[in-house]
Amino acid sequence: MLAPREIDEYILPTERRVIRVRQHWSVMLNHITQTALVLFGLVLLDTYLPRNLVLDNLTWYAGLVAVLRLTLFVALWWVERIVITDKRVMLSRGIITHNIGMMPLGKVTDLTFERTMTGRIIGFGTMIIESAGQIQALNRIDYMPQPEEIYEALAELIFGDKKQTRSHVLAKPRRRG
């Protein structure tokens, strides 16, 4: 099996990469919670049901399937990348089937930034990118990390001076006090 292509291979020589991130880690919370609940339920079954070799094997294999499922979701999250260049927004997904969604910045007519209370606490937001009333391959990016900085850099790329962006803000690690 070949490794998925790195998204930077899709950037043209005339483009300048401004932002490259993956979705916020909190996108995995639902999968982690489901796996933990399944494993907890299997431990309870194994503890309170009578000892039986078949039942022990079934609970062990069910636990293995739950952990493998979580591993697959973590791997998919790990390879997914959001890249914003000075000319387009790209979202790369997939391990076996590689999928790249793309929207040229020149077609963007509206940029919406949403943040729930949970997003404010944990540190993620949603970016909605609209294009002249058309539905594009890439119009909504959920669980965007560092949402204020990315929104400001993207807004400057789309509506501001093309030569200056806030990408330097994203290059520096944030210090938490």
Side-chain angles (χ1 to χ4, degrees), residues 5-175:
R5 288 182 65 181
E6 191 63 34
I7 191 164
D8 288 335
E9 295 177 28
Y10 295 99
I11 295 176
L12 302 172
T14 58
E15 287 181 289
R16 178 178 54 94
R17 186 179 78 200
V18 178
I19 298 165
R20 181 178 188 246
V21 293
R22 70 174 46 95
Q23 282 186 311
H24 194 269
W25 60 266
S26 61
V27 74
M28 297 303 301
L29 285 178
N30 190 27
H31 302 300
I32 293 169
T33 303
Q34 289 173 359
T35 303
L37 288 173
V38 166
L39 292 176
F40 180 72
L42 291 172
V43 167
L44 285 178
L45 279 175
D46 196 45
T47 303
Y48 291 110
L49 289 178
R51 298 311 258 164
N52 182 338
L53 183 62
V54 173
L55 187 61
D56 288 345
N57 284 337
L58 285 176
T59 56
W60 190 89
Y61 284 118
L64 179 64
V65 167
V67 170
L68 289 175
R69 177 185 170 272
L70 178 63
T71 303
L72 176 64
F73 283 121
V74 169
L76 287 170
W77 169 78
W78 189 259
V79 299
E80 184 172 292
R81 293 278 192 261
I82 303 162
V83 173
I84 300 173
T85 70
D86 57 345
K87 296 184 180 180
R88 58 188 170 156
V89 178
M90 297 186 299
L91 178 63
S92 169
R93 291 185 169 153
I95 295 174
I96 296 171
T97 302
H98 199 64
N99 182 11
I100 303 264
M102 187 268 303
M103 178 181 283
L105 291 181
K107 294 199 176 232
V108 174
T109 58
D110 191 25
L111 185 62
T112 305
F113 170 64
E114 295 177 353
R115 212 160 178 201
T116 62
M117 183 61 76
T118 306
R120 288 182 192 168
I121 294 169
I122 299 177
F124 67 87
T126 299
M127 199 78 57
I128 301 169
I129 306 168
E130 295 180 19
S131 168
Q134 300 174 350
I135 300 296
Q136 297 290 327
L138 177 66
N139 65 341
R140 182 181 182 94
I141 304 173
D142 295 314
Y143 295 97
M144 179 78 81
Q146 303 174 6
E148 286 92 2
E149 292 90 349
I150 292 175
Y151 176 78
E152 289 171 3
L154 191 55
E156 282 185 22
L157 281 170
I158 296 169
F159 306 113
D161 184 6
K162 304 282 189 235
K163 295 178 183 166
Q164 296 182 359
T165 63
R166 295 179 187 249
S167 62
H168 65 278
V169 174
L170 297 175
K172 298 176 187 175
R174 295 175 90 186
R175 298 181 90 190

